[in-house]
């Protein structure tokens, strides 16, 4: 089951968490493109603006505070899935902290609105076209997996109703839904099962099924997969 987010095909997304698996990414890219060294079309350098941020006083001091906080952090083994803090299960699944699970609906809706106002971390607002580079990587990877006789399922995680409505109506977000159409067309051509939709109404979800603008409560996940 592969989670299909719209920013996957955005050349201008600011997401860098994938770099924790950077060596694995390049190793797979070498296999897909039969290359001995990382090169275009799959190499992505760190944006210059991210390097400049290292020299900002505010960024530097906040990083030190974050480091100090995490060094002092104690981890506790538990048999319970729901705890005061965030819990990671042996299978890698994550259960939100009590604070996140118990947010009022008003705060959840405000967080959803904030995501749109802050341009979803710029991963979607700077989306001007579907990346040919990432489309090629994506298609080669999926076909590589299928050639190993592995059944592939695409999961489209829904957005909070407020966020999705903005994706539909705001011009700067329109490519996000074009990405969904591309992924679904690719799935149809390659006989790949689809679960979910960016549209929450297609999954019978409402605002109270979300903990923020993009993350769903466990009951919402169960609702989506129970339909398939």
């Amino acid at each position: 089951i592969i989670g299909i987010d719209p920013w996957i095909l955005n050349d201008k997304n600011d997401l860098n968490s994938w770099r924790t698996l950077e060596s694995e990414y390049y190793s797979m890219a070498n296999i897909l493109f039969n290359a001995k060294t990382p090169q275009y079309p799959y190499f992505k350098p760190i944006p210059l603006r991210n390097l400049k941020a290292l020299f900002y006083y505010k960024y530097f001091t906040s990083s030190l505070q974050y480091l100090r906080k995490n060094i002092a952090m104690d981890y506790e083994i538990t048999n319970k899935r729901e705890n005061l803090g965030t819990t990671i299960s042996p299978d890698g699944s994550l259960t939100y902290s009590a604070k996140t699970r118990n947010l009022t609906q008003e705060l959840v809706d405000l967080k959803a609105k904030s995501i749109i106002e802050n341009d979803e971390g710029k991963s979607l607002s700077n989306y001007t076209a579907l990346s040919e580079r990432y489309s090629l990587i994506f298609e080669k990877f999926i076909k590589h997996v299928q050639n190993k006789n592995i059944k592939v399922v695409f999961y489209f995680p829904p957005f909070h109703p407020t966020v999705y409505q903005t994706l539909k109506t705001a011009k700067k977000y329109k490519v996000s839904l074009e990405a969904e159409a591309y992924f679904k067309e690719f799935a149809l051509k390659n006989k790949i099962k689809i679960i979910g939709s960016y549209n929450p109404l297609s999954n019978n979800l409402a605002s109270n099924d979300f903990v923020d603008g993009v993350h769903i409560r466990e009951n919402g996940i169960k609702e989506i997969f129970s339909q398939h």
Side-chain angles (χ1 to χ4, degrees), residues 12 24 33 36 59 81 159 177 228:
K12 300 176 183 177
E24 290 85 352
F33 291 91
K36 294 182 179 179
Y59 180 89
R81 288 186 64 245
F159 290 93
L177 300 187
H228 301 275

Coordinates of all heavy atoms in Angstrom, one line a residue, residues 12 24 33 36 59 81 159 177 228:
K12 N 9.1 21.8 -6.6 CA 9.5 22.9 -5.8 C 9.1 22.7 -4.3 O 9.1 23.6 -3.5 CB 8.8 24.2 -6.3 CG 9.2 24.6 -7.7 CD 8.4 25.8 -8.2 CE 8.7 26.2 -9.6 NZ 7.9 27.3 -10.1
E24 N 19.4 5.2 0.6 CA 18.5 4.1 0.0 C 17.9 4.7 -1.2 O 17.6 3.9 -2.2 CB 17.5 3.7 1.1 CG 18.0 2.9 2.2 CD 18.6 3.8 3.4 OE1 18.7 5.0 3.2 OE2 18.9 3.2 4.4
F33 N 17.4 3.4 -13.0 CA 17.9 4.1 -14.2 C 19.2 3.4 -14.7 O 19.9 4.0 -15.6 CB 18.2 5.6 -13.9 CG 16.9 6.3 -13.7 CD1 16.3 6.5 -12.5 CD2 16.2 6.9 -14.8 CE1 15.1 7.2 -12.3 CE2 15.0 7.6 -14.7 CZ 14.5 7.7 -13.4
K36 N 25.5 4.2 -12.5 CA 26.5 3.9 -11.4 C 26.6 5.0 -10.4 O 27.0 4.7 -9.3 CB 27.9 3.7 -12.1 CG 27.9 2.4 -13.0 CD 29.3 2.3 -13.6 CE 29.3 1.0 -14.5 NZ 30.7 0.8 -15.1
Y59 N 17.1 31.0 14.1 CA 17.1 29.6 13.7 C 18.1 28.8 14.5 O 17.8 27.7 15.0 CB 17.4 29.4 12.2 CG 17.4 28.0 11.7 CD1 16.2 27.4 11.2 CD2 18.5 27.3 11.7 CE1 16.2 26.1 10.7 CE2 18.5 26.0 11.2 CZ 17.3 25.4 10.7 OH 17.3 24.1 10.3
R81 N -1.4 1.4 23.7 CA -1.3 2.1 22.4 C -1.6 3.6 22.6 O -1.0 4.5 21.9 CB -2.3 1.6 21.4 CG -1.9 0.2 20.8 CD -2.8 -0.2 19.7 NE -2.7 0.7 18.5 CZ -3.7 1.4 18.1 NH1 -4.9 1.4 18.7 NH2 -3.5 2.2 17.0
F159 N -8.1 15.2 2.6 CA -7.8 16.4 3.3 C -9.0 16.8 4.2 O -10.1 16.4 3.9 CB -7.5 17.5 2.3 CG -6.2 17.4 1.6 CD1 -6.1 16.8 0.4 CD2 -5.0 17.9 2.2 CE1 -4.9 16.6 -0.3 CE2 -3.8 17.8 1.5 CZ -3.7 17.1 0.3
L177 N -4.9 18.8 -7.6 CA -6.0 17.9 -8.1 C -5.6 17.3 -9.4 O -6.1 16.2 -9.8 CB -7.3 18.6 -8.1 CG -7.8 19.2 -6.7 CD1 -9.2 19.7 -6.8 CD2 -7.7 18.1 -5.7
H228 N -13.5 -1.0 1.3 CA -12.8 -1.8 0.3 C -12.5 -3.1 0.9 O -11.4 -3.7 0.6 CB -11.5 -1.0 -0.1 CG -11.7 0.3 -0.6 ND1 -12.0 0.6 -2.0 CD2 -11.8 1.5 0.0 CE1 -12.2 1.9 -2.1 NE2 -12.1 2.5 -1.0

